[in-house]
């Protein structure tokens, strides 16, 4: 995004961030731009740190200015708003600090599968690259979904199935983290998944089948349940959510859902075509389960 240093009224946060990152500008201009960014940086730092107990709130707010300054040249306005980028940087600093304080190792996801890279990058010891890795993976996955999206059929909308299953898989991965036992962190789990796997506006209105609840309605119902650490993150969560919404004639079983997921994954793999892209973006969220031997 172009920035005009002569414009004294720059109200767009992304434009200000561009100005701070522009090393060709006089230092006093960059400093003034950073000072004008401080209110949004501190606001985001308080929002992020509020998910964690202990001294993280004061620590993150105190260090947020220097943290953002040290990474500001990584900000690319073509890939998203400054607020989203800043929230990512602050969130992963907080998670990494919380892990160190708690002395909790990263746990594998259920079934021995690794969590998706975008879900575990915050645990990296490489502070410089962790947030950037998350941003790249998140952006690539969204771009791939945009490219492979296919229209709904007259029966099951398998692309809608894919979108919902990706979020369910992300919730399952994140729910294996030690942090998931913290009530405040768990309460914000849905928001984290929504950020990691954003839907396009038209995707929210898609339905698993014609006249069924929309994805947006289903996700709201599911979101309310995943905040409870005792809830099992499995297909039945989607089935119960669908049954609770009008029309109440909606019937879906875990076996049927798993069949739909299998078909959606096969279609998505054919659309992606590139094995390396599939491995990076989908493999850990949609793992290939070995077939059971026949008895």
């Amino acid at each position: 995004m172009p920035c005009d240093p002569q414009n004294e009224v720059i109200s767009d946060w992304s434009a200000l961030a561009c100005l701070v990152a522009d090393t060709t500008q006089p230092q006093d201009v960059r400093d003034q731009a950073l000072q004008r960014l401080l209110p949004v940086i501190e606001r985001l730092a308080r929002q992020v740190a509020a998910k964690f107990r202990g001294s993280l709130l004061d620590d993150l707010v105190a260090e947020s200015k220097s943290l953002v300054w040290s990474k500001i040249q990584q900000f690319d306005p073509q890939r998203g708003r400054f607020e989203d980028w800043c929230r990512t940087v602050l969130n992963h600093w907080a998670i990494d600090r919380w892990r160190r304080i708690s002395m909790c190792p990263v746990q594998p996801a259920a079934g021995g599968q690794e969590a998706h890279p975008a879900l575990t990058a915050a645990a990296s010891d490489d502070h410089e690259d962790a947030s950037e890795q998350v941003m790249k993976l998140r952006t690539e996955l969204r771009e791939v979904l945009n490219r492979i999206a296919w229209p709904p059929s007259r029966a099951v909308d398998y692309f809608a199935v894919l979108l919902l299953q990706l979020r369910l898989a992300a919730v399952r991965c994140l729910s294996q983290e030690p942090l998931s036992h913290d009530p405040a962190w768990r309460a914000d789990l849905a928001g984290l998944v929504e950020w990691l796997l954003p839907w396009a506006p038209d995707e929210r209105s898609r339905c698993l089948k014609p006249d069924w609840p929309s994805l947006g309605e289903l996700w709201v119902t599911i979101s309310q349940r995943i905040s409870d650490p005792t809830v099992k993150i499995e297909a039945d969560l989607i089935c119960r959510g669908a049954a609770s919404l009008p029309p109440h004639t909606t019937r879906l079983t875990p076996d049927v859902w798993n069949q739909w997921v299998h078909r959606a994954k096969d279609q998505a793999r054919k659309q992606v075509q590139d094995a390396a892209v599939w491995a990076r973006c989908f493999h850990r969220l949609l793992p290939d389960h070995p077939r059971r031997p026949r008895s």
Side-chain angles (χ1 to χ4, degrees):
M1 177 181 296
C3 300
D4 181 3
Q6 303 304 319
N7 183 1
E8 296 183 357
V9 184
I10 301 178
S11 59
D12 182 85
W13 302 123
S14 295
L16 282 170
C18 289
L19 198 53
V20 175
D22 187 353
T23 57
T24 66
Q25 298 298 325
Q27 189 61 45
D28 63 328
V29 173
R30 297 179 68 204
D31 289 342
Q32 289 176 16
L34 181 61
Q35 287 300 315
R36 294 173 65 180
L37 275 178
L38 282 183
V40 71
I41 294 173
E42 292 183 358
R43 173 173 59 81
L44 293 172
R46 291 183 182 280
Q47 289 177 358
V48 169
K51 297 182 293 183
F52 305 91
R53 59 176 179 265
S55 62
L56 272 179
L57 175 61
D58 293 337
D59 291 347
L60 183 53
V61 173
E63 296 190 33
S64 58
K65 175 182 175 180
S66 60
L67 181 64
V68 171
W69 175 269
S70 69
K71 296 178 178 290
I72 193 66
Q73 291 190 6
Q74 298 176 11
F75 171 62
D76 181 357
Q78 300 302 318
R79 293 167 55 189
R81 303 182 310 156
F82 169 76
E83 297 97 305
D84 292 334
W85 174 85
C86 184
R87 186 180 289 107
T88 300
V89 171
L90 297 171
N91 188 66
H92 291 290
W93 179 95
I95 290 177
D96 184 73
R97 179 65 63 89
W98 178 257
R99 290 185 190 282
R100 292 173 183 275
I101 292 173
S102 304
M103 298 296 289
C104 291
V106 178
Q107 300 293 326
Q113 294 290 334
E114 284 184 59
H116 190 273
L119 307 181
T120 57
S124 171
D125 288 331
D126 190 339
H127 298 283
E128 296 300 319
D129 294 337
S131 294
E132 184 68 10
Q133 182 186 5
V134 172
M135 291 293 283
K136 287 180 178 179
L137 288 165
R138 172 181 180 268
T139 300
E140 181 181 18
L141 178 55
R142 184 59 261 182
E143 289 174 348
V144 172
L145 288 172
N146 290 343
R147 176 170 58 82
I148 71 171
W150 62 89
S153 68
R154 295 181 179 178
V156 179
D157 184 346
Y158 287 110
F159 187 70
V161 171
L162 177 72
L163 293 173
L164 194 55
Q165 179 63 22
L166 285 172
R167 282 197 174 182
L168 183 70
V171 172
R172 184 182 294 118
C173 289
L174 288 164
S175 67
Q176 301 300 314
E177 298 288 337
L179 282 173
S180 70
H181 299 296
D182 184 280
W185 187 91
R186 187 75 182 218
D188 198 46
L189 178 55
L192 178 57
V193 171
E194 290 166 12
W195 180 84
L196 286 166
L197 296 165
W199 288 340
D202 63 309
E203 291 171 351
R204 295 179 182 277
S205 61
R206 295 183 74 148
C207 304
L208 299 177
K209 294 186 72 174
D211 299 324
W212 278 30
S214 68
L215 285 186
E217 294 170 322
L218 266 174
W219 178 248
V220 168
T221 301
I222 293 170
S223 298
Q224 295 169 350
R225 299 185 181 191
I226 62 176
S227 61
D228 182 354
T230 66
V231 170
K232 294 182 179 180
I233 311 302
E234 53 191 23
D236 189 58
L237 193 62
I238 292 174
C239 300
R240 290 178 179 271
S244 69
L245 294 169
H248 295 288
T249 55
T250 301
R251 292 291 181 268
L252 181 61
T253 67
D255 285 343
V256 169
W257 175 255
N258 291 331
Q259 290 175 13
W260 289 359
V261 169
H262 179 75
R263 293 169 186 169
K265 188 174 77 171
D266 283 349
Q267 177 68 17
R269 199 196 300 267
K270 291 176 183 177
Q271 298 287 106
V272 171
Q273 297 183 336
D274 189 319
V277 171
W278 179 267
R280 283 197 305 274
C281 295
F282 297 99
H283 176 68
R284 291 182 177 89
L285 290 175
L286 302 172
D288 295 320
H289 298 291
R291 294 182 178 179
R292 296 179 181 178
R294 294 182 179 178
S295 56

